[in-house]
Amino acid sequence: MEFIIKFAQTHETFRLAEIEALAITEGVDLTVIEYSDQSPLCLVSLPSVEAARKLIRRSILAQSIHEFWAKGDTLSTLHESVKLRTSHLWPQYKEPTFKFDVEYFQGARTAAQRLAIINSFDYLPFDGPIRMKDPEHTFTVFEIWPFDSVPLGIDKPDMVYFGRFVGASSRDVILKFDLKKRGYISTTSMDSELSLVTANIALASPGKLFYDPFVGTGSFPVACAYFGAIGWGSDIDGRSFRGMGGHKSLRGNFEQYGLQSCLGDVFAADLMNSPIQMGRRIWDGIVCDPPYGVREGLRVLGLRDPEKTPWLIEKGKRDGSLPDFVAPKKPYSFFAMLNDILVFASGTLVDNGRLSFWMPTANDEEQEIPVPTHPCLEVVAVCVQVFNKWSRRLITYRRIPDNEVIPLALEAYNAKSKAESIGTTADELNPFRRGYFRKFEASE
């Protein structure tokens, strides 16, 4: 069966990645027939109406899904297609209540024009009462118009679709998790929409263990917990998730949404100094938004020069277990951080587990930071959120089963020295930070 997915007009490069991930999560056989970032509609093939409802029910970027009846480049050709394709379906809609809607993208219709379009379907033998609120069936005409059709005075759409409403998404959940209503946030808390989308793309679902190594105030574990996963997290500074305690803490955020049962635990650590043993493949998913090092340089636990400050080592041994202890930190290379994230994921994700992390880059091709790779990880999707002169990408990987990893590629990767920390200042260690403050101007 064919269906029309109607997407929200936002985050276009994320939409298909989320739907394809949901097909995996729900165990639905999905085939994308027709899709473009320039259109809110996506034509897909699914086994049944029930499969369509399962696919859409937890989507954040989709709004609804409709049983596809016909399409045409004009209203007349649409009617011809409806009669040719769907006449065998008409008897089952003869008695139930129904209504018609007209929706348009990049175009406009007056109320009289919409009514005329609806009345043009009077050949359909629907004798049930028309009910504008909560009808048993809703039939929708979707018009796709050319760009700037209103100011240009274009009077006809490029394509017209017709379908029967099947199911709605979970897009309204965005308001429930709105940061403005959350008890504890920081300046770097990820907004609710993108947190939920990230959780979907990473395949968060009941019974799975998800981990955020840069947990902060817990936006990602909260989103994963909403979809039933158990959320875990760590941060280099324990004060970020402890907050002021009570409802002003990461744990308080879980309590606010009634998700306490889906919180595993949080602890102070970083990727270079973690109690999680490499080689223990325990995580079904790792989701994170690593620090970009713009406000201040990137840091990792440790000392820049242990020989000059040995007393700090002794203090750490003595006071490390105290709740107010703040461990010393040293400068950290941006590329070393990216490498460490991939190495950590390759050593702790289960087979086919997913790593989804956000990474900044310049929009200028000459200054763009390439997508990092690892022989144990397959890039599944790269979604882009564009700002002014820079963007951030949500990069998603799949942990390849060991028997599918190419041994020579892994040996070559392990033989390479780790990303060298060339320089000592924050700008020298972080090419993105350097470009950000230079406004990504090309060097001479």
Side-chain angles (χ1 to χ4, degrees), residues 127-188:
D127 298 330
I130 298 173
R131 183 185 297 169
M132 300 309 293
K133 184 177 181 180
D134 298 326
E136 294 174 81
H137 299 287
T138 299
F139 298 89
T140 306
V141 178
F142 298 99
E143 293 186 335
I144 307 298
W145 289 68
F147 180 70
D148 268 354
S149 59
V150 175
L152 293 175
I154 299 173
D155 59 357
K156 293 180 180 179
D158 283 338
M159 189 63 64
V160 187
Y161 296 81
F162 184 61
R164 180 181 69 88
F165 176 81
V166 169
S169 71
S170 293
R171 185 160 177 77
D172 57 343
V173 175
I174 297 172
L175 297 177
K176 176 182 177 180
F177 291 96
D178 189 350
L179 293 183
K180 295 178 182 178
K181 304 174 184 177
R182 189 170 298 178
Y184 178 56
I185 62 172
S186 72
T187 55
T188 57

Side-chain angles (χ1 to χ4, degrees), residues 287-305:
V287 289
C288 60
D289 183 22
Y292 303 161
V294 172
R295 290 183 176 86
E296 59 182 23
L298 295 172
R299 295 288 187 269
V300 66
L301 294 178
L303 301 175
R304 187 195 300 263
D305 191 343

Side-chain angles (χ1 to χ4, degrees), residues 51-294:
R53 293 193 179 107
K54 287 177 63 178
L55 176 70
I56 206 72
R57 63 186 176 185
R58 51 177 276 183
S59 175
I60 301 301
L61 296 179
Q63 293 179 326
S64 55
I65 191 165
H66 307 254
E67 183 182 51
F68 174 70
W69 276 36
K71 72 173 183 177
D73 54 2
T74 65
L75 189 59
S76 297
T77 56
L78 175 71
H79 287 310
E80 293 175 5
S81 183
V82 170
K83 295 173 184 177
L84 182 64
R85 289 173 49 90
T86 66
S87 58
H88 63 287
L89 300 174
W90 297 352
Q92 58 186 300
Y93 304 108
K94 182 176 178 62
E95 301 298 334
T97 59
F98 70 97
K99 76 170 183 178
F100 274 70
D101 280 337
V102 177
E103 297 187 13
Y104 33 84
F105 172 65
Q106 297 182 157
R109 289 289 193 187
T110 64
Q113 288 174 325
R114 293 197 298 271
L115 182 59
I117 291 172
I118 293 172
N119 286 337
S120 68
F121 288 86
D122 58 2
Y123 56 86
L124 294 174
F126 299 167
D127 298 330
I130 298 173
R131 183 185 297 169
M132 300 309 293
K133 184 177 181 180
D134 298 326
E136 294 174 81
H137 299 287
T138 299
F139 298 89
T140 306
V141 178
F142 298 99
E143 293 186 335
I144 307 298
W145 289 68
F147 180 70
D148 268 354
S149 59
V150 175
L152 293 175
I154 299 173
D155 59 357
K156 293 180 180 179
D158 283 338
M159 189 63 64
V160 187
Y161 296 81
F162 184 61
R164 180 181 69 88
F165 176 81
V166 169
S169 71
S170 293
R171 185 160 177 77
D172 57 343
V173 175
I174 297 172
L175 297 177
K176 176 182 177 180
F177 291 96
D178 189 350
L179 293 183
K180 295 178 182 178
K181 304 174 184 177
R182 189 170 298 178
Y184 178 56
I185 62 172
S186 72
T187 55
T188 57
S189 296
M190 180 66 71
D191 73 79
S192 61
E193 181 176 24
L194 290 176
S195 295
L196 292 162
V197 170
T198 301
N200 268 339
I201 293 176
L203 309 182
S205 58
K208 291 187 176 182
L209 302 180
F210 269 66
Y211 172 62
D212 181 355
F214 307 93
V215 71
T217 62
S219 290
F220 289 121
V222 164
C224 294
Y226 172 73
F227 293 122
I230 305 298
W232 295 73
S234 66
D235 202 284
I236 192 171
D237 189 346
R239 294 173 297 181
S240 65
F241 54 77
R242 288 195 295 266
M244 292 183 287
H247 68 281
K248 290 289 186 179
S249 66
L250 181 149
R251 190 173 297 274
N253 286 339
F254 274 78
E255 293 172 353
Q256 176 180 344
Y257 300 115
L259 297 171
Q260 304 95 311
S261 62
C262 288
L263 174 60
D265 206 350
V266 288
F267 51 91
D270 66 22
L271 284 177
M272 296 295 293
N273 301 274
S274 175
I276 299 171
Q277 183 179 345
M278 288 292 290
R280 290 192 64 193
R281 310 275 293 281
I282 58 175
W283 303 125
D284 295 287
I286 298 173
V287 289
C288 60
D289 183 22
Y292 303 161
V294 172

Side-chain angles (χ1 to χ4, degrees), residues 346 373-378 398-415:
S346 68
T373 59
H374 189 284
C376 293
L377 300 171
E378 175 191 14
R398 176 183 71 95
R399 179 41 163 106
I400 303 171
D402 286 337
N403 60 357
E404 297 179 15
V405 176
I406 301 174
L408 292 178
L410 184 58
E411 290 175 10
Y413 186 90
N414 292 333

